[in-house]
Amino acid sequence: MYLVAIAWMYVVLMMAVAEAFSPQGTVLGALVTLVLYGLLPLSIVMYLMGTPRRRAARRRAEAAEAARAPASAQPDDGGHAPAAQSVDAFMAERKES
């Protein structure tokens, strides 16, 4: 994967150099060539090609976190927080006179 990226950047760099040093070319044109033909597309492709690796790393991290979590963290295994007890259970009863 990295070999293709290095080769592509080499080709784009040579295109930018040729643009900068040609009689009709400009340095601004060389920079635009470098960014629009090289850096931008390559960054998108590298990000997309790295997706499976990031997904696998996230799954490994989640599995390690689940292995470290105590078994009593979720007693009902429902995936939700336990329900709060009613406020009435904690309030003192008032006697009427």
Side-chain angles (χ1 to χ4, degrees):
M1 177 168 82
Y2 293 118
L3 184 63
V4 173
I6 291 168
W8 179 253
M9 282 310 295
Y10 175 77
V11 169
V12 170
L13 183 65
M14 290 298 113
M15 288 172 54
V17 168
E19 173 75 24
F21 289 117
S22 76
Q24 294 88 13
T26 63
V27 175
L28 179 63
L31 289 175
V32 169
T33 299
L34 185 66
V35 171
L36 294 182
Y37 284 139
L39 298 178
L40 184 66
L42 188 63
S43 65
I44 293 170
V45 168
M46 295 299 285
Y47 177 78
L48 292 176
M49 290 179 71
T51 300
R53 192 173 328 151
R54 286 191 309 274
R55 185 178 300 137
R58 185 175 61 233
R59 286 183 183 160
R60 280 193 306 271
E62 288 173 356
E65 183 67 29
R68 281 185 294 205
S72 63
Q74 294 188 13
D76 60 354
D77 290 327
H80 299 286
Q85 292 186 1
S86 163
V87 175
D88 296 333
F90 295 108
M91 293 182 66
E93 287 188 33
R94 218 170 107 178
K95 292 184 182 179
E96 293 187 29
S97 310

